[in-house]
Amino acid sequence: MKISVLGAATTKFGELWSRSPRDLVMEAVNEALDDSKEISLQDIEAVYVGNMLSGTLGGQDHLGAFFAEELGLHVPAMKVEGACASGGLAIHAGVTAVSSGIYENVLVVGIEKMTDFKPEEVAEALMGAGSDPERDAGASFPSLYALMARVHMEKYGTTEEDMAAVAVKNHYHASLNSHAQFTFPVTMEKVMESPVVSSPLKLLDCSPISDGAAAVILSSKIKKTGRNIFIVGSAVATDSLGLAERDDLTTIYAAKEAARKAYKMSGVGPNEIDVAEVHDCFTIAEIIAMEDLGFFGKGEAARAVRLGQTRLGGRPVINTSGGLKACGHPVGATGVKQVVEIYRQLKGIAGKKQVKGAKLGLTHNVGGSGATAVVNILKG
Ligand code: COA
């Protein structure tokens, strides 16, 4: 499989109170079209919109047509929803549509507007991705990932400092990214002293509530000018909605399975990946992701973070955008933004956060506490 990424762009992520979902999507789409240099809106044959909460929070349940109208298009357009993996899932839908040969060029958009609502409304809406018993028990995503962290700590000796090191690295990367929500670096002390959200997770172990949009143009055509970037593997897997139904809380089975399929499809192995954007909704999630993706053995990822192996200058470099932790996590936009970041890395246009000589990259996007996982592999 070889699907071209013809153009890609993201808005700044953050608390964007003066911007509407329309504004944000139009900005990302126009920049992606400009970036492609050889495609116009009229060449787009289908639109896939990654979004989770437009109905629950925004009262808009007809998102495909909503954005097609805004774009002035009459093409097939649909919302793709998979909780926090909605963006990655929309990319997968675009890839499969182009691979089928039905469409030559499709537009994938990721959008979420979360900060206009009260924190308790957002937390409740996000729990729409959990199981009924979890909701009935009053669980939140910080509390579910805190449970996973506790088991990882008990089984592998992972410490709160190891998790804090993920936040320090990702805030450092975000300090080099003008589109990130938090562009300030943080110290270990600052993370360790931040208020507890759900023990052992503290404020600075958590991704924030964010607004933002991202857009990617996928095509079966090869770019005539400039460096071609291809998606060479794209896979999705699912698992139980609730944690209680899982055998092991230190791994996300769906992510392992999606990775296995994407590696097989692309013929690329974990040791060949130069740069990856992984779903660090909480710092423990990045440690688990690196183990599930096969970058490190089970129980060994925390040590790699501590030694700085996954920071710029190491290999594989993880979350050059700042990840969900510091770049921000507008849930439906995240999976699309991850592809934008890897595309920019492989093109060599990632600026101060450029990974030198990056040729192979990966995105890992997770919905809920691991019920949906999407892995995409890109080649420069
Ligand atoms: N990292 C760093 N700083 C953060 C932050 C984060 N994750 N979240 C908030 N802040 C900062 C804010 O910028 C603000 O700073 P200021 O006072 O200088 O302006 C301060 O902390 C308080 O912000 P506030 O919005 O009041 O925080 P909150 O207590 O309402 O929410 C969380 C904090 C962690 C509970 C919230 O961000 C959250 O629920 N995150 C998880 C989201 C989630 O579950 N996503 C789905 C994943 S599966």
Side-chain angles (χ1 to χ4, degrees):
M1 190 191 67
K2 226 174 160 186
I3 302 297
S4 296
V5 181
L6 287 188
T10 166
T11 64
K12 185 175 169 58
F13 283 6
E15 292 189 19
L16 310 176
W17 293 334
S18 63
R19 311 287 311 276
S20 69
R22 281 194 177 92
D23 275 355
L24 292 168
V25 164
M26 290 312 286
E27 179 187 320
V29 171
N30 285 329
E31 281 189 25
L33 288 167
D34 283 352
D35 176 60
S36 84
K37 296 193 176 67
E38 39 189 84
I39 203 164
S40 76
L41 204 46
Q42 302 322 313
D43 299 316
I44 299 294
E45 293 156 283
V47 181
Y48 298 88
V49 183
N51 173 272
M52 178 183 178
L53 303 169
S54 73
T56 328
L57 290 178
Q60 178 50 259
D61 266 320
H62 203 164
L63 222 54
F66 179 89
F67 286 120
E69 179 183 21
E70 193 60 26
L71 292 161
L73 296 175
H74 295 276
V75 299
M78 61 209 78
K79 169 170 163 172
V80 182
E81 186 277 310
C84 302
S86 299
L89 214 49
I91 295 275
H92 181 75
V95 165
T96 50
V98 174
S99 301
S100 76
I102 295 178
Y103 308 122
E104 197 168 41
N105 306 307
V106 304
L107 171 67
V108 181
V109 169
I111 168 73
E112 208 76 58
K113 198 79 179 64
M114 303 168 80
T115 72
D116 300 344
F117 307 92
K118 291 184 191 147
E120 58 271 27
E121 289 172 345
V122 177
E124 191 178 342
L126 285 170
M127 270 315 286
S131 68
D132 289 346
E134 285 171 347
R135 268 198 299 276
D136 291 347
S140 63
F141 276 105
S143 71
L144 294 173
Y145 276 88
L147 286 174
M148 294 162 85
R150 285 245 166 259
V151 183
H152 207 281
M153 289 166 84
E154 216 173 283
K155 216 164 159 183
Y156 298 108
T158 305
T159 64
E160 293 186 35
E161 285 80 3
D162 291 335
M163 294 186 262
V166 172
V168 171
K169 170 184 68 70
N170 289 351
H171 271 263
Y172 164 63
H173 288 167
S175 74
L176 308 172
N177 179 5
S178 59
H179 281 43
Q181 180 159 353
F182 299 129
T183 51
F184 53 87
V186 295
T187 58
M188 281 295 276
E189 295 68 37
K190 200 168 168 198
V191 182
M192 293 300 288
E193 285 164 10
S194 64
V196 172
V197 174
S198 185
S199 177
L201 301 179
K202 305 165 197 72
L203 178 69
L204 287 169
D205 286 300
C206 303
S207 59
I209 304 295
S210 318
D211 305 323
V216 165
I217 299 160
L218 300 176
S219 178
S220 52
K221 281 196 282 202
I222 290 180
K223 234 176 156 154
K224 293 186 205 85
T225 51
R227 190 165 183 183
N228 276 288
I229 309 297
F230 300 103
I231 296 185
V232 291
S234 180
V236 180
T238 50
D239 196 6
S240 65
L241 287 181
L243 288 187
E245 286 72 33
R246 312 244 180 104
D247 293 335
D248 182 0
L249 296 191
T250 66
T251 180
I252 290 181
Y253 170 78
K256 275 179 94 158
E257 183 58 10
R260 187 190 63 74
K261 291 197 269 186
Y263 287 137
K264 190 170 174 210
M265 191 182 283
S266 61
V268 170
N271 296 339
E272 294 175 83
I273 300 294
D274 300 303
V275 55
E277 285 285 305
V278 310
H279 198 94
D280 59 326
C281 49
F282 301 94
T283 49
I284 185 64
E286 177 164 318
I287 291 171
I288 292 175
M290 290 189 293
E291 295 171 353
D292 288 343
L293 292 166
F295 296 153
F296 300 98
K298 200 67 209 161
E300 287 169 12
R303 183 167 174 272
V305 183
R306 245 186 353 256
L307 296 176
Q309 268 175 264
T310 57
R311 194 181 160 98
L312 271 169
R315 190 170 183 278
V317 188
I318 307 289
N319 283 331
T320 49
S321 70
L324 285 58
K325 168 67 211 78
C327 185
H329 183 29
V331 291
T334 285
V336 182
K337 178 222 77 179
Q338 292 179 323
V339 170
V340 176
E341 177 64 18
I342 297 298
Y343 161 87
R344 294 181 69 80
Q345 286 288 349
L346 302 183
K347 264 198 122 180
I349 55 168
K352 287 186 209 154
K353 54 188 168 60
Q354 180 66 48
V355 174
K356 286 198 189 96
K359 291 192 174 56
L360 283 164
L362 177 150
T363 65
H364 159 279
N365 190 199
V366 171
S369 61
T372 300
V374 189
V375 173
N376 291 305
I377 296 178
L378 286 85
K379 193 170 183 172

